[in-house]
Amino acid sequence: MVEEASNKQVILKDYVKGFPKESDLILKTSIVKLKIPNQCSNDAVLVKNLYLSCDPYMRGRMAKTEGSYIDSFTPGSTITGYGVAKIVDSSNPDLKKGDLIWGLTGWEEYSLIKLTQGLFKIQNADLPLSYYTGILGMPGHTAYIGFYEICSPKKGEYVFVSAASGAVGQLVGQFAKLFGCYVVGSAGSKDKNKFGFDDAFNYKEEPNLDAALKRYFPNGIDIYFENVGGKMFDAVLLNMRVNGRIAVCGMISQYNLENPEEGTRNLLCLITKRIRMEGFLVFDHYGLYPKFLEMVVPLVKQGKITYVEDVAQGLENAPNALVGLFSGRNVGKQVVVVASE
């Protein structure tokens, strides 16, 4: 007899318009066999999920979209996202039972992953495993690529990071500080500068974002790490320096708008200030993941990076944790603990 287990799952009820609500996600329990079915390929793993990552890009997958870089979720089915898991069964000779991995998995207790491309075996298991949903996983690698590879920083430059208390923003700012830059971050509350930036401000308390940026950057901005979009992006363009660089990672202010209301009025600055702006997706740069780990693991072990997690316990609290991202409720990386190892 094949061993079976109860499998709690988070299901998308229907496509979402406007701000997502907890009720858009429902919990369901099924039974799963703890063995890979015979009809699966020789490149499958069955995993027990330990930690799940709540990420802003998931909002786009909750809507019906076409032509995106990643498919929409299917209503009535388990949603997926980045997570950390332990292998229960494997048909891939390079991944064995008991191995720890991170990558795309289901929002459920057990997941059958039919293709292992894009899964990473965890080598530094002496660090907290939840870090592979953040600083040592996709968000950390995103911060690294955007800052070092896209922005090509120079020591002493002026760096502005929006959504600076999120999983990516908190790391970009610290990478910039360690590199020798002057760093200011913006976030949605006063108490979010826990990361050693030179300064930070609450954008909700600034009636004039252009004036705020001029106050914090009287000499202008060399590097802008874009996580927000909208009015903040428009104000930043006015305050960029000649030959500035903008890494476009996300635009969370736009994700819940059914009909985007705000156009960008200051794009002429790209020409007059010779600004280079580039959007990027981290999975195009997975070849640099070992190089990223080589840099960041010693920094984590030496305590040179402050890393903050906002932890929700149990799959039953996962919908609330994910929805909270879009009101800026989280401080640090939002993680859901599914099970202990």
Side-chain angles (χ1 to χ4, degrees):
M1 285 284 291
V2 176
E3 189 182 352
E4 296 180 333
S6 174
N7 190 29
K8 194 181 295 177
Q9 301 165 300
V10 178
I11 308 288
L12 180 67
K13 191 174 179 181
D14 203 352
Y15 290 125
V16 175
K17 294 182 178 179
F19 271 85
K21 307 179 294 296
E22 261 190 84
S23 57
D24 292 320
L25 298 163
I26 54 177
L27 290 171
K28 172 185 158 187
T29 301
S30 62
I31 301 297
V32 63
K33 287 183 167 33
L34 298 183
K35 187 164 181 59
I36 293 173
N38 291 332
Q39 63 267 33
C40 275
S41 70
N42 60 355
D43 187 28
V45 289
L46 179 71
V47 300
K48 178 181 181 180
N49 292 311
L50 306 178
Y51 299 94
L52 297 175
S53 174
C54 297
D55 295 299
Y57 82 90
M58 296 173 74
R59 173 61 187 88
R61 302 191 70 190
M62 296 170 79
K64 188 172 186 177
T65 56
E66 293 179 5
S68 178
Y69 67 94
I70 193 167
D71 292 337
S72 297
F73 295 137
T74 303
S77 297
T78 307
I79 68 171
T80 59
Y82 285 93
V84 174
K86 188 172 189 176
I87 295 177
V88 175
D89 191 23
S90 173
S91 62
N92 182 322
D94 296 325
L95 295 169
K96 297 182 170 48
K97 181 178 179 179
D99 283 349
L100 295 163
I101 55 99
W102 74 266
L104 282 172
T105 187
W107 273 42
E108 55 192 348
E109 291 174 286
Y110 293 90
S111 293
L112 176 63
I113 302 172
K114 295 181 179 179
L115 290 172
T116 63
Q117 183 183 9
L119 296 183
F120 295 86
K121 190 190 286 192
I122 292 173
Q123 307 291 350
N124 296 283
D126 53 329
L127 292 168
L129 291 178
S130 61
Y131 281 18
Y132 287 90
T133 68
I135 187 170
L136 301 179
M138 183 274 287
H141 192 206
T142 299
Y144 173 86
I145 294 297
F147 181 63
Y148 290 104
E149 299 295 326
I150 306 295
C151 290
S152 304
K154 301 179 187 70
K155 189 174 180 179
E157 288 192 312
Y158 299 99
V159 177
F160 177 50
V161 185
S162 57
S165 64
V168 175
Q170 62 166 298
L171 298 173
V172 173
Q174 292 184 80
F175 290 163
K177 277 298 296 175
L178 288 168
F179 196 79
C181 297
Y182 174 82
V183 184
V184 176
S186 70
S189 71
K190 283 180 179 176
D191 61 349
K192 287 190 171 182
N193 186 20
K194 301 182 175 185
F195 310 111
F197 297 5
D198 292 286
D199 217 329
F201 64 91
N202 179 359
Y203 68 88
K204 294 177 182 176
E205 294 180 351
E206 298 291 347
N208 186 326
L209 292 172
D210 177 32
L213 291 171
K214 282 181 168 54
R215 193 165 71 244
Y216 288 98
F217 293 99
N219 298 312
I221 300 165
D222 291 298
I223 289 174
Y224 174 45
F225 198 97
E226 167 67 300
N227 288 311
V228 169
K231 292 176 181 176
M232 182 65 82
F233 174 53
D234 224 23
V236 166
L237 287 171
L238 293 174
N239 288 277
M240 291 296 293
R241 301 178 78 183
V242 171
N243 296 319
R245 285 87 71 209
I246 300 174
V248 185
C249 176
M251 292 196 171
I252 197 169
S253 73
Q254 308 299 295
Y255 294 166
N256 299 305
L257 301 179
E258 290 185 53
N259 298 300
E261 302 158 356
E262 304 157 353
T264 302
R265 296 173 299 176
N266 298 319
L267 285 174
L268 185 62
C269 294
L270 294 176
I271 302 168
T272 59
K273 299 183 180 188
R274 286 81 85 198
I275 297 165
R276 180 166 59 81
M277 181 167 74
E278 184 176 344
F280 70 101
L281 295 170
V282 69
F283 54 67
D284 292 333
H285 303 271
Y286 275 165
L288 292 173
Y289 182 67
K291 182 181 173 186
F292 157 69
L293 280 186
E294 206 174 277
M295 183 203 82
V296 80
V297 167
L299 294 176
V300 173
K301 288 184 174 180
Q302 293 162 21
K304 291 185 177 178
I305 289 183
T306 299
Y307 182 60
V308 175
E309 293 180 313
D310 198 324
V311 179
Q313 295 287 341
L315 264 179
E316 61 276 10
N317 291 310
N320 178 268
L322 179 58
V323 169
L325 280 184
F326 304 103
S327 59
R329 192 174 62 214
N330 60 301
V331 177
K333 171 64 196 168
Q334 184 67 66
V335 183
V336 177
V337 180
V338 182
S340 58
E341 194 190 330

